[in-house]
Amino acid sequence: MSFLSYLINGISLGSIYAIIALGYTMVYGIARMLNFAHGDVIMVGGFVIFTFVSTLGLPPILGILVAVIACTLLGVTIERIAYKPLRGTSSLAVLITAIGVSYLLQNVALLIFGSNARQFTSVVNLPGLKLAGGQLQISSVTIVTIISCIVIMLGLTTFINKTKMGQAMLAVSEDNGAATLMGIDVNKTISVTFAIGSALAAIAGALLCSTYPSLTPYTGSMPGIKAFVAAVFGGIGSIPGALIGGVLLGVIENLSKAYISSQLSDAIVFSVLIIVLLVRPTGILGKKIMEKV
């Protein structure tokens, strides 16, 4: 039963990574850039929920809604101010800017909230499940996290495949120039992509802080890096790849902590990534991009 418990908790953690990885994979797939400030948007969402739920006493659902709106506006603002002027420049310039935005968000949070860890109140207050005569207990946060991941993946896939904006995203991801010639507003499409990714970051922040109820200005840093690893693992640019990569990463990390060493779990996760990329450089579901010369 202990193995099954570790496995379920690993799937729950992997579901959080998958939701975060969606932000990376969508932005890269459409705008061809890596937004390393994405992990800090998670932290911002956590602090917004903390402020409105723990400090002001609002219901958790309202706190999450406010966090989603705040992170959506933040994501669009970051794209408009920091990334849009660099469109068409070298990828190194965009990468350095993303790192700068990440440090900016962390230091602003330090100035406002300080460096002390805050106790985060879980936004999920439901009874858990007890199976096999009580030997296997599944918390309500774990159940809600896994269900949320599945619903988000299905909803996002439907949005991409069935809506006009989703089709525009696919067109821009295939060929930016051709999409412009076909009358697609590329700037608007990229802004919507950042908005969706940032809104999902707020939800991931709520689930992450409910699972690990400690909130600091650096809360989103390591989960953000691991989610990026999950996106690369599954095939960056692929929505199903983000799900597969996130879940596998969470399971590997949790089982490594349980059966090998909690101190070596991160090293094992990154080692598995290196092995996978040596065998399949594009990730599990990644596709090779053919370039004309």
Side-chain angles (χ1 to χ4, degrees):
M1 285 299 172
S2 59
F3 172 79
L4 194 56
S5 177
Y6 294 140
L7 181 63
I8 293 172
N9 289 332
I11 294 173
S12 174
L13 177 61
S15 298
I16 296 174
Y17 289 155
I19 296 172
I20 303 170
L22 281 175
Y24 284 110
T25 204
M26 288 183 66
V27 169
Y28 180 82
I30 294 169
R32 288 293 183 267
M33 63 160 290
L34 296 174
N35 178 24
F36 278 113
H38 188 62
D40 298 289
V41 177
I42 299 168
M43 173 269 296
V44 171
F47 271 113
V48 170
I49 295 172
F50 173 81
T51 301
F52 280 86
V53 176
S54 298
T55 305
L56 300 180
L58 290 181
I61 188 67
L62 288 181
I64 295 173
L65 181 60
V66 173
V68 168
I69 295 172
C71 289
T72 300
L73 294 175
L74 177 62
V76 172
T77 302
I78 290 173
E79 190 278 328
R80 186 67 56 88
I81 295 175
Y83 300 142
K84 185 178 178 181
L86 298 176
R87 205 166 294 157
T89 62
S90 68
S91 57
L92 181 60
V94 178
L95 179 61
I96 293 172
T97 301
I99 295 172
V101 172
S102 173
Y103 281 116
L104 174 64
L105 293 176
Q106 288 178 14
N107 282 276
V108 169
L110 275 171
L111 288 172
I112 296 174
F113 297 101
S115 59
N116 294 330
R118 307 297 179 95
Q119 188 69 22
F120 189 89
T121 303
S122 176
V123 296
V124 181
N125 298 309
L126 299 171
L129 286 179
K130 292 184 178 181
L131 304 175
Q135 295 183 6
L136 178 62
Q137 297 185 6
I138 306 174
S139 68
S140 57
V141 175
T142 298
I143 298 170
V144 170
T145 299
I146 295 173
I147 293 175
S148 298
C149 180
I150 295 172
V151 171
I152 287 171
M153 288 293 174
L154 292 176
L156 191 57
T157 301
T158 303
F159 173 80
I160 295 292
N161 294 324
K162 301 295 184 181
T163 66
K164 187 175 180 180
M165 178 54 68
Q167 294 298 303
M169 290 178 176
L170 290 176
V172 173
S173 67
E174 288 292 331
D175 193 320
N176 194 316
T180 303
L181 293 175
M182 293 299 293
I184 294 174
D185 189 338
V186 174
N187 290 329
K188 179 182 177 181
T189 303
I190 293 176
S191 293
V192 171
T193 303
F194 269 85
I196 294 174
S198 299
L200 294 179
I203 297 173
L207 297 172
L208 176 68
C209 293
S210 294
T211 305
Y212 304 98
S214 179
L215 182 61
T216 73
Y218 306 105
T219 291
S221 297
M222 185 54 72
I225 293 173
K226 289 180 179 177
F228 172 69
V229 170
V232 175
F233 194 9
I236 193 162
S238 168
I239 292 177
L243 174 62
I244 294 173
V247 171
L248 286 177
L249 197 75
V251 170
I252 292 170
E253 180 180 341
N254 224 44
L255 293 180
S256 298
K257 287 180 179 178
Y259 293 106
I260 301 177
S261 169
S262 59
Q263 295 178 337
L264 294 176
S265 60
D266 290 346
I268 293 169
V269 164
F270 290 111
S271 299
V272 170
L273 172 69
I274 293 171
I275 294 170
V276 169
L277 292 183
L278 287 174
V279 177
R280 188 174 175 81
T282 57
I284 297 173
L285 296 183
K287 297 179 181 179
K288 291 184 178 180
I289 299 176
M290 303 298 293
E291 294 184 359
K292 295 181 180 180
V293 296

